Amino acid sequence: MSGAPETALDIAASVRSGERSARSVVDDHLATIAARDGEIHACNAVLDDQARAAADAIDAAVARGEDPGPLAGVPVALKDNLCTRGIPTTCSSRILEGWLPPYTATVVQRVTDAGGIPIAKTNLDEFAMGSSTENSAFGVTRNPRDLTRVSGGSSGGSAAAVAAGYAPLALGSDTGGSIRQPAALCGVVGVKPTYGLVSRYGLIAFASSLDQIGPFANTVDDAALMLETIWGHDPMDSTSITGAPAPLAGGADVAGLRIGIVEELTDVEGIAPEVRAAVGRAASALEAAGATVDRVSVPSCTYGLSAYYLIAPAEASSNLARYDGVRYGLRVDGEDVADMNARTRAAGFGPEVKRRIMLGTYALSAGYYDAYYGKAQKVRTLIIRDFAAAYERFDVLLSPTAPTEAFPIGEKTADPLAMYLSDVCTIPTNLAGHAAMTVPFGVGGEGLPVGVQVLAPALGEPVMFRAARALEAAAPR
Amino acid sequence: MSEAEYEAVMGLEVHVELATATKLFCGCVNEFGSEPNTNICPVCLGLPGSLPVLNEKVVEFALRIGEAFHFDVPERSIFHRKNYFYPDMPKDFQTSQYDSPICADGYLEVDGVRIGIERAHMEEDTGKTTHVGGGGRIHDADHSNVDYNRAGVPLMEIVSRPEMHTAEQAKGYVSELRGILEAIGVSDVKMEEGSMRVDANVSIRPVGSDTLGTRAEIKNMNSLRSLGRAIEYEISRQVELVESGGRVVQETRHWDESAGITHGMRSKEGSEDYRYFPEPDLVPVAPTDAMRATARAAIGELPAARRERMVAQWGISETDARTLVESPGLAEFADATVAAGAPGKDVTNWLSGEVLAYLNETGLSLAVLPLTPGKLAELCTLVSDGTLSRNLAKDVLGECLREPKDPKAVVAERGLAQVNDEGELGALVDAVLAGNAETIEEYRNGDDKLRKKKRGFLMGEVMKASKGSGNPQVLNRLLDERLN
């Protein structure tokens, strides 16, 4: 690639003005995918025909003098846990092989309504359970910056797709860091919006109270463009927030902004020194731009990981019960219905999914509920309380996004706990239902991208994006 | 000990399908009897990625139930997931309410006794499985078909306290419950079609004991009658079991209507762990004051009050009032007929007599009959003004139950109206007497026995001459005047 990749804002502007055809945009991006995906493997499916047809329709609309919308002609990569009508949606699991959703997720509909063009369904850790995309039933997604390294996860395919120039925008889902961590490892921007800001209708659930859909982009402004396209109330999702969200325009002015570095997510064992140093440099840059910076303690964050690995598997154990071979997807015949259920699930789910289903089933069992699930929910309440206290003194918080740069493929697959620690900095935001995003901020000791995480309270996206723009401007090139 | 030395204790769990236009969590039509798998969508099929949205009408119906049975309705209640695998349950969990139901601690009066109702909660129904081959039982079936039309249909589960002691009392409870649910318009409460399903928890204990015995849960009763039979059988079974040194085990038992017995269903080892946890895809149910007011306003007169009013205003018996109130639609029909000007007592007699008999005989429902309250009121008037005798009125009603005709039109068509005109009838009598001089002679000279016989003959001739339409009282009087 030569120079900075083209932004979604530029593409949409040139397509809307008729200066460039959507078809040529799509063809260029399909060519990039064809050239690179053999080695990266970010895509479960490339939507060549559909994307070209959609591009032609957009060009025809422009020719008629119509405005196809703010994403006119912009290729968008979709994590393969977002339902697309008539297009396989697999969650990178054998158990959903062959299933064609009869409906389209709200976010995908909003993207296409805005003129965006779905170009690929991207790889993920099976059912979004993992931090490296190594848990995909269809093979690992390699990091475009270093093919021997992981792309992060679970939305590794979407992060890699944006990093490799397959599409300037992608959608992922973030349950404990699944957008932010791979974005950081691949060197792109990734946003986990406030819980309820973006409809989950059509997102195949992992852990319903934690899942949230969000954008990947090369720039903060592109991420804002995507978030403003997909957000807003959806009557099909009871947990979706009513009322119009405040716009994300607002520049990069951080003068007077109060910024806190979260001690429990930064100054702890396991965070690579170069990553910690990047957070320090980021804070200094914001200070230089007029913000005030201090350290802040959010004590209960320490228990975030433990609480998460009870709540998320508990919800998953229930959400994934429906894959029983009766109605769709894989079926392995058995002696009777129960045997068919068991054989189907044994054959259809990978080891990490099975591990979490068992963990969650156990956590919800009679006699253990209070000690595990009940207690984890209490930790969640504490985290919300501690963050609320922090946000009385600070407008946004900073921390690392991931403890390290992208790690070598295979390094953590034998040690689930080490893998789980990849999300230690991102999980508290999901438990609190707050907003957070990652912005690339230079490289680490191994020359690979490092992300800095900006955290904001619920519906704090406008101030979070302002701080993110300032970081983007100050980031080392 | 004998059966008389034991006291039976029972509580009832009643599932009622709510008659909302759409399902509990999606916009699919809530309808019985459609082609299989036609009223379905991604939500009620539990497809990956779909989410539930609570139907507000269901909450309103639940609030009506809350009012009608004196429940506490908390500011906030929540849904839980009840997790277990079953092929006709699309998500392999049922979205239900657990420790935070919308209705708590209500009651119902049955024959002057207050029966406590522990709770009533909202939940979704499952689909329906049909086993094909092997006699229709799951274990030896060839294959099974699942119809998901019923999946997601809104249910209220109404759980009584264990405060009933006889089969009669249990039947009375269900009957009263059904009447109220119908009166407040939340369900069509048909046990035969499964829109009302009753499970009975039955236990026994020595008279005088206040600890509860081990209970058996009896399922599959599809009428009030089978509920009564099943309970009576189960009580005897438990008494015999205990008397012969056995022990009642906690289990689910299936009522076999044709054999008249309950039998234990294959029980799982240990009790099922449903791993309940709060449904994260739904927000708490928080009824507003406006919703509560709407529900209150939607509740009409409850059955007990309606019976009292009918007895007081129409002078009918408590039994007749109960008949009207407990037969679907009959009480409303009676009220409308009275409003059209007919006396309540006459209306009650026709409805609880001929009309109800016709409904029972044909299996039809009142709603599909051509008879309307206006027509029944017209019939009552035809009797009270002397146009029709009660016997002829029965014939006319019979025709109006079968054909869309007015009683007056039937009377005219068949020439059934009584002739009361004395001039017209007098001429008839005179003509008959003129042609029977010999009989008159015999009558005048005969003894009492012969006189009676001859008079009867002449009256018969007169009736014949009037083609049966002469008012018999008038004809009798006119004949006597001329003979004596």
Side-chain angles (χ1 to χ4, degrees):
Chain A
M1 276 187 296
S2 57
E6 209 176 0
T7 67
L9 282 163
D10 288 345
I11 291 172
S14 62
V15 169
R16 286 165 109 174
S17 69
E19 180 188 322
R20 189 173 173 196
S21 72
R23 179 59 185 264
S24 72
V25 172
V26 163
D27 284 341
D28 287 353
H29 286 85
L30 286 173
T32 305
I33 295 174
R36 298 202 66 191
D37 208 45
E39 52 188 19
I40 295 173
H41 187 235
C43 303
N44 283 348
V46 181
L47 311 177
D48 316 62
D49 294 343
Q50 295 97 325
R52 288 196 178 99
D56 290 345
I58 285 188
D59 289 333
V62 172
R64 287 193 302 269
E66 292 165 19
D67 180 1
L71 289 184
V74 177
V76 178
L78 304 172
K79 189 176 183 178
D80 203 17
N81 60 355
L82 295 169
C83 288
T84 42
R85 185 188 171 101
I87 297 171
T89 301
T90 67
C91 284
S92 291
S93 179
R94 296 272 173 224
I95 210 153
L96 272 173
E97 255 183 351
W99 181 58
L100 295 179
Y103 75 107
T104 293
T106 298
V107 287
V108 177
Q109 192 61 52
R110 288 185 180 179
V111 162
T112 53
D113 287 349
I117 298 175
I119 199 164
K121 300 295 296 280
T122 61
N123 198 13
L124 62 148
D125 285 299
E126 185 177 4
F127 281 99
M129 297 177 185
S131 309
S132 66
T133 316
E134 289 167 293
N135 294 333
S136 166
F138 310 134
V140 64
T141 294
R142 296 171 183 275
N143 193 314
R145 315 279 182 196
D146 177 346
L147 296 173
T148 67
R149 307 271 173 150
V150 300
S151 55
S154 65
S155 314
S158 284
V162 171
Y166 295 3
L169 292 174
L171 288 177
S173 63
D174 189 315
T175 307
S178 281
I179 290 173
R180 291 160 289 162
Q181 186 260 15
L185 268 48
C186 291
V188 299
V189 175
V191 185
K192 200 296 280 189
T194 301
Y195 186 78
L197 186 62
V198 177
S199 166
R200 291 182 292 121
Y201 189 73
L203 165 66
I204 299 181
F206 160 17
S208 312
S209 75
L210 301 162
D211 295 342
Q212 189 64 185
I213 297 167
F216 291 88
N218 283 306
T219 67
V220 174
D221 280 338
D222 270 6
L225 171 69
M226 180 56 117
L227 182 53
E228 289 184 332
T229 300
I230 60 173
W231 73 12
H233 182 65
D234 177 10
M236 297 301 279
D237 178 357
S238 309
T239 63
S240 116
I241 294 168
T242 52
L248 300 176
D253 183 7
V254 292
L257 218 59
R258 301 165 302 166
I259 291 167
I261 299 173
V262 183
E263 287 172 346
E264 287 78 4
L265 304 182
T266 310
D267 306 327
V268 290
E269 206 191 314
I271 307 291
E274 299 85 354
V275 171
R276 193 176 303 139
V279 174
R281 283 197 302 278
S284 305
L286 294 175
E287 206 165 17
T292 60
V293 176
D294 204 348
R295 302 189 94 71
V296 58
S297 171
V298 184
S300 52
C301 276
T302 311
Y303 306 109
L305 195 74
S306 312
Y308 175 86
Y309 275 99
L310 291 167
I311 293 169
E315 292 182 9
S317 72
S318 175
N319 283 331
L320 272 62
R322 70 193 68 192
Y323 307 105
D324 58 7
V326 173
R327 288 159 298 272
Y328 44 78
L330 183 71
R331 175 188 291 179
V332 180
D333 284 329
E335 294 292 304
D336 55 22
V337 178
D339 188 43
M340 183 274 285
N341 292 158
R343 286 169 188 256
T344 298
R345 292 165 68 81
F349 289 137
E352 183 61 27
V353 172
K354 287 176 187 163
R355 182 179 296 122
R356 297 203 196 185
I357 289 174
M358 286 188 281
L359 263 173
T361 303
Y362 188 74
L364 289 174
S365 298
Y368 298 99
Y369 182 94
D370 291 338
Y372 295 123
Y373 189 79
K375 202 156 207 171
Q377 289 292 12
K378 284 180 187 150
V379 168
R380 198 167 180 176
T381 307
L382 285 181
I383 288 175
I384 292 169
R385 198 193 63 189
D386 288 355
F387 270 120
Y391 286 123
E392 278 176 22
R393 294 169 48 217
F394 298 95
D395 299 304
V396 294
L397 304 176
L398 288 188
S399 82
T401 303
T404 64
E405 295 156 70
F407 45 89
I409 289 167
E411 187 185 84
K412 301 184 193 220
T413 43
D415 184 353
L417 280 180
M419 188 73 90
Y420 295 172
L421 281 167
S422 302
D423 294 326
V424 69
C425 302
T426 45
I427 279 171
T429 302
N430 298 80
L431 290 171
H434 290 170
M437 65 192 286
T438 182
V439 180
F441 206 83
V443 294
E446 301 178 75
L448 288 165
V450 170
V452 169
Q453 182 174 222
V454 186
L455 301 89
L459 297 177
E461 278 82 0
V463 66
M464 178 174 85
F465 270 80
R466 250 196 304 147
R469 286 191 192 94
L471 282 181
E472 185 178 49
R477 306 275 159 195
Chain B
M1 292 202 282
S2 72
E3 194 156 331
E5 291 164 80
Y6 290 94
E7 177 186 50
V9 180
M10 60 207 90
L12 299 181
E13 287 175 22
V14 177
H15 284 87
V16 192
E17 279 182 7
L18 299 181
T20 49
T22 56
K23 293 187 182 181
L24 180 53
F25 296 124
C26 64
C28 286
V29 175
N30 171 17
E31 191 176 69
F32 180 79
S34 303
E35 281 294 299
N37 295 314
T38 51
N39 300 331
I40 51 170
C41 75
V43 176
C44 57
L45 275 184
L47 291 188
S50 66
L51 296 170
V53 176
L54 179 59
N55 179 351
E56 273 210 14
K57 197 74 192 172
V58 173
V59 178
E60 199 222 300
F61 280 15
L63 293 175
R64 288 190 203 175
I65 289 171
E67 277 291 320
F69 299 99
H70 319 280
F71 280 111
D72 295 332
V73 176
E75 292 296 313
R76 237 177 77 110
S77 71
I78 62 172
F79 281 95
H80 272 71
R81 289 187 185 178
K82 180 180 183 180
N83 295 286
Y84 62 101
F85 282 87
Y86 207 78
D88 62 19
M89 200 165 54
K91 298 170 290 184
D92 287 303
F93 62 79
Q94 182 190 29
T95 306
S96 179
Q97 294 195 294
Y98 179 51
D99 55 9
S100 173
I102 188 162
C103 294
D105 200 17
Y107 66 86
L108 173 59
E109 281 194 17
V110 182
D111 297 326
V113 179
R114 185 176 283 196
I115 309 290
I117 310 180
E118 189 183 309
R119 58 186 284 147
H121 70 250
M122 303 177 277
E123 63 184 26
E124 59 184 341
D125 209 342
T126 61
K128 205 169 182 176
T129 308
T130 317
H131 306 295
V132 181
R137 312 244 324 166
I138 187 166
H139 304 300
D140 37 12
D142 181 41
H143 67 276
S144 302
N145 294 328
V146 191
D147 173 9
Y148 292 102
N149 282 347
R150 202 179 66 180
V153 162
L155 294 177
M156 282 296 277
E157 180 176 339
I158 303 170
V159 183
S160 86
R161 295 191 187 283
E163 294 180 352
M164 285 165 270
H165 303 288
T166 65
E168 274 313 303
Q169 204 180 15
K171 282 163 70 180
Y173 169 86
V174 172
S175 175
E176 193 67 24
L177 188 80
R178 186 164 70 172
I180 294 175
L181 292 168
E182 197 201 4
I184 63 177
V186 299
S187 174
D188 56 14
V189 287
K190 288 183 184 145
M191 280 182 88
E192 298 76 9
E193 282 184 11
S195 64
M196 181 173 189
R197 309 194 274 273
V198 182
D199 301 335
N201 287 308
V202 180
S203 64
I204 56 165
R205 63 187 175 193
V207 170
S209 162
D210 55 4
T211 53
L212 289 169
T214 304
R215 65 174 197 267
E217 186 179 6
I218 320 297
K219 287 181 182 288
N220 194 43
M221 292 78 78
N222 61 5
S223 68
L224 271 188
R225 186 167 166 270
S226 59
L227 173 69
R229 289 177 69 205
I231 288 173
E232 271 163 13
Y233 172 83
E234 181 60 20
I235 294 171
S236 305
R237 186 191 72 88
Q238 291 188 12
V239 170
E240 275 170 38
L241 185 65
V242 171
E243 281 294 290
S244 62
R247 198 169 55 83
V248 176
V249 292
Q250 185 165 338
E251 63 176 347
T252 299
R253 298 183 67 84
H254 191 87
W255 167 247
D256 182 335
E257 180 74 32
S258 51
I261 59 168
T262 64
H263 51 79
M265 291 159 85
R266 206 170 50 140
S267 63
K268 296 193 178 71
E269 283 171 39
S271 67
E272 189 113 29
D273 180 357
Y274 293 119
R275 291 173 285 115
Y276 280 101
F277 74 102
E279 166 59 89
D281 287 328
L282 289 167
V283 294
V285 184
T288 60
D289 289 344
M291 287 167 77
R292 289 169 191 257
T294 305
R296 256 193 302 276
I299 292 182
E301 187 180 36
L302 296 180
R306 177 172 274 175
R307 288 196 300 266
E308 262 173 50
R309 173 175 61 79
M310 288 173 164
V311 168
Q313 292 182 1
W314 301 351
I316 63 175
S317 69
E318 172 70 27
T319 311
D320 280 345
R322 192 170 278 278
T323 303
L324 290 183
V325 170
E326 286 177 3
S327 314
L330 219 54
E332 290 76 8
F333 198 97
D335 275 331
T337 311
V338 171
K345 197 160 187 168
D346 294 351
V347 172
T348 304
N349 287 339
W350 288 121
L351 287 178
S352 62
E354 280 73 14
V355 175
L356 196 57
Y358 181 75
L359 292 177
N360 289 340
E361 178 192 317
T362 58
L364 295 173
S365 76
L366 197 55
V368 304
L369 294 188
L371 184 72
T372 63
K375 290 179 192 172
L376 183 58
E378 192 177 299
L379 185 80
C380 290
T381 307
L382 290 172
V383 175
S384 62
D385 71 7
T387 307
L388 274 184
S389 67
R390 196 172 149 88
N391 265 340
L392 283 177
K394 248 185 222 181
D395 287 353
V396 174
L397 177 61
E399 195 152 342
C400 293
L401 285 168
R402 290 185 302 269
E403 310 281 342
K405 288 180 179 168
D406 288 348
K408 271 184 184 158
V410 176
V411 168
E413 192 182 295
R414 291 172 46 184
L416 293 175
Q418 282 188 139
V419 177
N420 298 314
D421 184 275
E422 296 204 7
E424 196 181 321
L425 295 178
L428 272 179
V429 174
D430 289 341
V432 167
L433 293 182
N436 287 282
E438 208 172 306
T439 310
I440 296 169
E441 206 44 44
E442 285 168 5
Y443 169 81
R444 293 207 165 121
N445 300 327
D447 58 7
D448 276 5
K449 200 178 161 197
L450 191 66
R451 284 166 68 97
K452 204 171 174 185
K453 190 178 166 194
K454 294 300 162 189
R455 190 190 173 287
F457 170 76
L458 291 170
M459 185 61 195
E461 289 299 297
V462 168
M463 263 327 258
K464 214 185 282 173
S466 81
K467 299 192 180 75
S469 67
N471 184 327
Q473 283 169 339
V474 177
L475 286 173
N476 267 318
R477 183 163 49 77
L478 293 174
L479 185 63
D480 284 343
E481 279 170 15
R482 280 161 176 74
L483 286 175
N484 305 319

